[in-house]
Amino acid sequence: MLSKEMLAELNEQIKHEFASANYYLAMAAYFAEQGLDGFTNFFIVQAEEERFHAMKFFHFINDLGGKVEITGYEDPKRDFSSVEEVFQLALKHEQFVTARIHKLLDVAKNENHHPTMSFLQWFVDEQVEEEATMSGILDKIRLSGGAGPGLLFLDKELAGRSFTPPAGE
Ligand code: FEO
């Protein structure tokens, strides 16, 4: 059983996860237009991860007998000025999602709702990885000067990323 507030916050998070997927697809489209296939792949895979996150919330709400509410969200930013700007924004976005997850956990803790606290722990850990990934690539982009052979090398590296749902999901 979920409280009204907990259910509303969990449903709100479904919206943010799907909105994240759209945001990252817009970033993928920016890179695709420039022929940077590795960066394109990175953000297509990132969008798949975000949809996976959204569906984890979907199933959790269902499992606890709550009603999932699917809502719309704003159009994502589509125009970017540089590779560096994209990763700065992606990192900022992940920091926003981390704050959301922590807020959800605070609500669950206030209610002493153990199932939600346990469920959210996966996302607390996941957000540490999400921020580290964006921040690590941002560092490499800065080292490469955001252009030239360094950037192409990074593009090649990111082409190898693929999405595999964790075992048991
Ligand atoms: Fe679902 Fe990238 O956080």
Side-chain angles (χ1 to χ4, degrees), residues 17 24 46 50 53 94 97 127 130:
E17 299 292 347
Y24 291 139
Q46 188 65 32
E50 299 303 347
H53 294 168
E94 287 304 333
V97 174
Q127 283 310 120
E130 294 275 75

Side-chain angles (χ1 to χ4, degrees), residues 63-83:
D63 287 348
L64 289 190
K67 182 172 186 302
V68 170
E69 302 279 359
I70 299 296
T71 60
Y73 37 81
E74 288 177 13
D75 287 348
K77 178 177 168 65
R78 288 184 293 256
D79 298 314
F80 306 95
S81 59
S82 67
V83 177

